[in-house]
């Protein structure tokens, strides 16, 4: 049976209607509910949920770190809660996911932003020992997306979700390459879900100002996360594109956000594949949504981006992508980056 969230809903006012979801006996029966909120909008979120969640206890998540998750997990165990609800952006949701897994209880995700596919993914990306680690966790029991909060979120972060979804296309091709070249098992259902998520979005002419577009973006991010649950790994949504993203994060931390880097990585990987039709489709989509296309758009020099491409395969040992397949020497990587920037730089 396909692992899927019990409830998935995208609407305005979802946070204020959280009580109705938790009244569903399939989610909670005893009323022992914990709510985790981030430091930014915690007071506002608490004021919205208080009228419908009298019995809930609200916890503040200080940051997106393993330490914060461990602390929250200890509180959840001591309180014998039946379910924990993570309300906020990616850091709050990932921290709550990991805390829920430590406490051995289900988690409900209420997203107030749409910057990446972590809403529903079976992983939590957390700060750990000076870097960022990825930890396996159960997927949320239910998922809500509050469009009121999404509309008020920084536009650059919402647009970033587009880049993360579109990167599925490159990741799927990398998985297929691994299947052909190395006999790596390929899950057709996971590929279909991840591809459907990207294709639903890439050609749309509306954008984040539209509820209709945001609904499709939310559904695509959730479907992308579910594809990883089906695959049992991040393979359908993370290929050479994400290897480049992780390398940039390691070499030049704070350069840009997850979705923006995934988008640039996707475009460059299609450039390496010499797939002109798909490359043009990807770059047109990125530009339509005001996302960066070339290294200079995020403040990196060509040399810095080339350094990241050189390092990229080492960020995911054992993963086979177009980068591992071509095995380009460092000098040729520099040349390819220069060619890409000449062709697609602003």
């Amino acid at each position: 049976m396909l692992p899927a969230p019990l409830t998935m809903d995208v609407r305005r006012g979802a946070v204020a209607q959280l009580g109705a979801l938790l009244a569903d006996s399939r989610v909670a029966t005893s009323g022992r509910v914990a709510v985790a909120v981030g430091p930014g909008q915690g007071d506002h979120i608490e004021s919205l949920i208080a009228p419908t969640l009298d019995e809930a206890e609200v916890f503040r998540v200080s940051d997106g770190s393993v330490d914060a998750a461990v602390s929250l997990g200890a509180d959840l165990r001591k309180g014998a809660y039946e379910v924990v609800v993570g309300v906020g952006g990616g850091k709050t949701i990932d921290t709550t996911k990991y805390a829920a897994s430590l406490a051995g209880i289900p988690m409900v995700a209420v997203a107030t932003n749409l910057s990446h596919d972590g809403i529903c993914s079976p992983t939590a990306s957390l700060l750990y020992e000076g870097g960022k680690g990825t930890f396996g966790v159960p997927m949320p029991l239910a998922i809500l997306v509050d469009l009121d909060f999404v509309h008020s979120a920084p536009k650059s972060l919402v647009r970033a979700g587009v880049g993360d979804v579109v990167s599925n296309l490159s990741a799927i091709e990398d998985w297929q390459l691994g299947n052909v070249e190395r006999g790596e098992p390929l899950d057709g259902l996971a590929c279909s879900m991840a591809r459907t998520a990207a294709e639903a979005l890439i050609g749309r002419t509306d954008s984040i100002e539209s509820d209709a577009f945001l609904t499709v973006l939310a559904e695509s991010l959730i479907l992308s996360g579910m594809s990883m649950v089906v695959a049992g790994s991040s393979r359908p949504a993370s290929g050479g594109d994400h290897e480049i993203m992780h390398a940039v994060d390691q070499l030049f931390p704070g350069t840009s956000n997850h979705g923006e880097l995934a988008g640039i990585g996707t475009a460059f990987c299609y450039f390496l594949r010499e797939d002109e039709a798909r490359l043009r489709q990807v770059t047109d989509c990125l530009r339509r949504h005001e996302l960066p296309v070339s290294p200079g758009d995020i403040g990196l020099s060509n040399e810095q981006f080339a350094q990241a491409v050189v390092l990229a395969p080492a960020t995911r040992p054992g993963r086979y992508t177009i980068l591992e397949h071509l095995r380009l020497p460092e000098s040729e990587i520099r040349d390819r980056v220069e060619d890409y920037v000449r062709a697609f730089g602003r």
Side-chain angles (χ1 to χ4, degrees):
M1 184 174 67
L2 170 66
L6 174 68
T7 299
M8 183 184 80
D9 199 2
V10 182
R11 67 169 93 167
R12 287 179 177 267
V15 171
Q17 299 169 45
L18 184 57
L21 169 67
L22 296 178
D24 188 328
S25 60
R26 296 173 298 172
V27 178
T29 57
S30 69
R32 291 289 294 169
V33 175
V35 178
V37 298
Q41 296 179 306
D43 291 338
H44 179 45
I45 291 170
E46 189 170 356
S47 70
L48 288 174
I49 64 177
T52 57
L53 289 177
D54 296 334
E55 306 265 332
E57 185 166 357
V58 178
F59 294 91
R60 300 303 174 95
V61 175
S62 58
D63 56 32
S65 67
V66 169
D67 289 344
V70 170
S71 176
L72 176 60
D75 289 334
L76 296 177
R77 285 194 301 274
K78 285 187 292 188
Y81 295 99
E82 189 173 6
V83 64
V84 58
V85 182
V87 187
K91 290 180 182 178
T92 301
I93 288 178
D94 276 3
T95 303
T96 308
K97 276 191 208 172
Y98 192 59
S101 71
L102 294 176
I105 61 174
M107 180 260 188
V108 171
V110 182
T112 59
N113 204 339
L114 296 173
S115 59
H116 59 75
D117 59 16
I119 303 170
C120 182
S121 72
T123 60
S125 180
L126 301 170
L127 296 173
Y128 180 65
E129 294 185 350
K132 217 169 207 183
T134 300
F135 304 87
V137 295
M139 69 181 292
L141 179 68
I143 300 165
L144 299 180
V145 178
D146 192 316
L147 292 181
D148 286 329
F149 277 89
V150 174
H151 276 294
S152 63
K155 292 188 183 300
S156 61
L157 291 182
V158 181
R159 295 183 191 280
V162 177
D164 204 21
V165 171
V166 168
S167 73
N168 289 2
L169 298 171
S170 178
I172 292 166
E173 293 205 28
D174 282 333
W175 198 4
Q176 291 170 332
L177 187 62
N179 173 256
V180 171
E181 296 292 331
R182 292 194 167 183
E184 183 179 344
L186 184 73
D187 190 301
L189 177 58
C191 285
S192 178
M193 294 170 73
R195 184 183 294 109
T196 297
E199 296 287 7
L201 199 69
I202 195 169
R204 290 187 69 101
T205 56
D206 53 350
S207 192
I208 64 170
E209 294 75 23
S210 157
D211 276 8
F213 180 86
L214 290 178
T215 299
V216 173
L217 175 58
E219 291 170 348
S220 293
L221 289 167
I222 291 167
L223 189 59
S224 179
M226 290 173 64
S227 76
M228 290 186 266
V229 176
V230 172
S233 75
S234 63
R235 205 55 164 118
S238 173
D241 43 90
H242 274 56
E243 288 182 336
I244 293 172
M245 178 199 75
H246 291 306
V248 172
D249 279 342
Q250 285 185 30
L251 292 172
F252 314 107
T255 295
S256 191
N257 61 48
H258 180 107
E260 290 182 345
L261 292 175
I264 293 177
T266 298
F268 185 70
C269 284
Y270 273 116
F271 181 78
L272 293 180
R273 289 189 179 94
E274 300 181 359
D275 185 342
E276 294 184 11
R278 188 60 99 177
L279 173 59
R280 182 62 63 182
Q281 189 180 26
V282 168
T283 54
D284 284 351
C285 176
L286 295 178
R287 288 196 174 113
R288 190 182 313 125
H289 295 288
E290 301 176 27
L291 288 164
V293 173
S294 68
D297 296 339
I298 54 173
L300 291 182
S301 67
N302 293 356
E303 175 63 27
Q304 288 173 319
F305 188 73
Q307 289 175 32
V309 176
V310 170
L311 175 65
T315 66
R316 286 292 175 89
R319 182 153 293 190
Y320 194 77
T321 76
I322 188 65
L323 302 178
E324 288 82 1
H325 181 68
L326 294 176
R327 291 187 297 176
L328 298 175
E330 191 169 339
S331 60
E332 189 167 349
I333 288 174
R334 290 196 186 93
D335 290 343
R336 295 287 185 99
V337 170
E338 294 286 346
D339 292 342
Y340 173 76
V341 172
R342 274 194 293 270
F344 294 96
R346 292 185 187 275

